[in-house]
Amino acid sequence: VGGACESGGGLQAVRLLRSDDRSLWRSTHAVREASLRTADACIADAQQGEAGRGEAEAGGAEEGPQWRWLRNRRFNAATNAFIQVAGHSNLFERLCESVIIKQSSTPERAAYEGISATPLGPFVPRCLCACQRGEVQLLYIEDLTARYRRPCVMDVKVGTRTFLEADAASTRRRVDLALKMLAVDPAALSEEEAAAGVTKMEYMRWREVTSSSATLGWRIEGIRRARGGAAASHYPAPKLLREPEQLEQAVGWFCEGRPAVRRAFAARLAELRAALEASRWFATHELVSSSLLLLYDGDPHGAAPPGLWMIDFAKAAPLDGALVLTHRAPWQPGNCEDGYLTGVDSLLHLLSRPDPLAGECNPSGRSRPSRRARGASQSGAERA
């Protein structure tokens, strides 16, 4: 509207929600009819607010109440526990039951618009609308957790390289990054190194080698399991898991020893890998620091099946010229390889193996971690 709130493929998705595509949502109890009406109304209200603000700016008047309401909303996910389990949760706000707003950037908006027009579209959440506010893009994105009664969430960072090529050339030392390292591992730096700071490259490489990113091409950023009538439970210190056995235990804990959930994730990831290998868009874009979001319903009576989606495209970028990526070759300066498919291969291999925790259940019917898994959780808590 007025160049401020554009649809791209977004309003197409809104129209789909209003039409026969609702059956997909209804079949999994994802969004009730009232929620769909609320989503449409909220998006329309935000668009009207953007239009009013644009007119106000042009005429020197004050912005309209609709945009003022949206601008004054706090982007605080403290009450939206399952919007994101890792990363910058303060960038998110739930607009209504089925839509979240994300403060984002132009590259991520372009990625959503590009992917939605390809066969990879079913593997990303729908971007329903996008509004530009100066340097910030507000993305109205489908809330993937809305279809689950008790959403259980695992955020997996994919790729052997999680830094931009521009970061590799930067020599600026930052004390804030040194403090982040020390918060995770107090022995990571000497006093002199901490005082001098570290470069972005040094920090990101440290994140990779202290986790499984450098060796396996993926790492767990966060895990939350929903509990009926109780607070959600977290797996301790997942970002420090590096060995395959540790990751196996964490994934088993997340799936609660439910083989059907694990098989569903493996099948979905296999479909995604096939789609990625056939995608021209994927071959001509680098995906750095992107994630896979794994979701299932902790309520055994929930109707929505487990799901797996690609998320976080803030560092996605098209390649220059005729360069094409394998997403498996080792990174060298200038080749833009990110190791995305290396991580997908490794994660699929793990998910395809039998769950060692399957069948170990407590009297309530929930899985009970083995002694080895409980020991790993305890040691992780001590590290945290």
Side-chain angles (χ1 to χ4, degrees), residues 269-336:
L269 187 57
E271 293 174 1
L272 172 60
R273 182 173 68 175
L276 290 171
E277 291 175 332
S279 172
R280 177 66 182 175
W281 186 95
F282 182 63
T284 56
H285 286 72
E286 61 175 327
L287 259 61
V288 174
S289 202
S290 184
S291 292
L292 293 175
L293 195 67
L294 286 73
L295 282 160
Y296 74 93
D297 204 328
D299 186 338
H301 302 293
L308 180 150
W309 290 269
M310 301 170 67
I311 61 170
D312 295 342
F313 304 108
K315 296 182 180 179
L319 303 176
D320 294 331
L323 189 61
V324 174
L325 300 184
T326 68
H327 294 281
R328 290 190 175 99
W331 174 74
Q332 296 178 353
N335 73 357
C336 296

Side-chain angles (χ1 to χ4, degrees), residues 100 137 315-316 341 381:
I100 60 174
Q137 297 278 350
K315 296 182 180 179
L341 284 179

Side-chain angles (χ1 to χ4, degrees), residues 33-47:
E33 289 294 324
S35 177
L36 283 171
R37 288 194 295 271
T38 301
D40 285 350
C42 288
I43 291 173
D45 193 48
Q47 290 175 321

Side-chain angles (χ1 to χ4, degrees), residues 2-45:
C5 190
E6 305 168 19
S7 64
L11 294 184
Q12 174 70 15
V14 175
R15 282 192 288 271
L16 285 173
L17 289 179
R18 294 173 181 148
S19 64
D20 294 340
D21 196 54
R22 282 183 182 166
S23 60
L24 171 64
W25 293 63
R26 281 200 299 264
S27 66
T28 61
H29 301 281
V31 181
R32 295 184 297 274
E33 289 294 324
S35 177
L36 283 171
R37 288 194 295 271
T38 301
D40 285 350
C42 288
I43 291 173
D45 193 48

